[in-house]
Amino acid sequence: MKSNNSLSKNIIIKYGIILGIMTITRSIIVYITGNYTNGNGELLGMIDGLTLICIITYGLYKYKFSNKGFLKLKEALKIGIAIALLGGAIPLIWNVLLMNFIEPDMINQMLNKRYEEMLKSDVSKEQIKQNLIVNEKLLTSYGNTAIRLFSNLLFGFIISLTGGLIMRKKQNL
């Protein structure tokens, strides 16, 4: 059996890369189909959330299985958060490339789409202006990157905590 440190490192790298690749694949599909301005944020968020839950939970399960059925909460948190961090960092590279080099006008397209949607609603011009200023700051490649990484870590913590509490089993010494 491998040492716990080596085992956890392998699990983190393997499932972090899988999570990153799945997230990039989803993002590429959304980009290729031209749906990045369609406002399907809730659906895409649910897909990303389910992917995060499945990958982290399965990573914890594989660690427990490879560790003779034992998993401490501390290990679960370490592994789950690290998978979320790695799985969130890999797509950020794609996101920065996409928004700065491949489709540098993407932010303007998204802002224009939001502006059109707000004009159709019963919102004052001042509220629209304020909303667009906030959205412009949040939609920059770096603002978007920071928000995505933070949410990945937050949800990774929650998923790891829940999975760790459910799957934990201490080794009797």
Side-chain angles (χ1 to χ4, degrees):
M1 183 180 110
K2 296 180 181 179
S3 74
N4 285 350
N5 211 13
S6 170
L7 177 61
S8 63
K9 224 181 258 187
N10 290 340
I11 297 283
I12 290 166
I13 291 170
K14 180 178 181 178
Y15 292 100
I17 289 172
I18 290 171
L19 177 60
I21 289 171
M22 289 180 76
T23 305
I24 289 173
T25 303
R26 194 254 328 137
S27 182
I28 290 172
I29 291 169
V30 169
Y31 173 71
I32 289 173
T33 59
N35 288 321
Y36 59 90
T37 59
N38 287 351
N40 294 329
E42 295 85 17
L43 176 63
L44 297 176
M46 287 187 342
I47 291 170
D48 287 343
L50 285 172
T51 304
L52 191 64
I53 291 168
C54 291
I55 299 293
I56 290 174
T57 304
Y58 192 69
L60 294 177
Y61 168 78
K62 287 300 281 186
Y63 176 84
K64 180 179 178 179
F65 181 79
S66 299
N67 196 33
K68 298 181 181 178
F70 298 106
L71 176 69
K72 295 178 188 172
L73 182 59
K74 180 180 172 183
E75 292 169 332
L77 287 170
K78 178 179 89 170
I79 292 167
I81 291 171
I83 289 172
L85 179 63
L86 182 58
I90 293 170
L92 296 182
I93 297 165
W94 158 252
N95 196 34
V96 169
L97 286 173
L98 176 66
M99 292 182 140
N100 291 323
F101 301 106
I102 298 171
E103 189 73 45
D105 195 42
M106 178 184 272
I107 294 169
N108 289 332
Q109 293 173 18
M110 294 168 86
L111 287 172
N112 288 337
K113 180 75 173 176
R114 289 186 182 175
Y115 178 73
E116 290 171 10
E117 290 170 359
M118 285 188 279
L119 282 177
K120 293 177 187 174
S121 65
D122 192 25
V123 179
S124 73
K125 295 281 185 190
E126 186 60 34
Q127 288 174 322
I128 291 173
K129 184 179 176 182
Q130 290 173 349
N131 194 308
L132 288 176
I133 290 170
V134 170
N135 278 317
E136 189 172 11
K137 290 177 183 174
L138 294 176
L139 286 176
T140 65
S141 62
Y142 302 108
N144 194 338
T145 297
I147 291 169
R148 285 181 181 215
L149 189 57
F150 176 75
S151 67
N152 239 37
L153 288 173
L154 176 65
F155 290 115
F157 171 76
I158 294 168
I159 294 163
S160 303
L161 180 63
T162 306
L165 287 171
I166 292 170
M167 288 190 257
R168 75 178 169 182
K169 182 177 179 188
K170 293 182 182 175
Q171 199 169 8
N172 296 331
L173 298 175

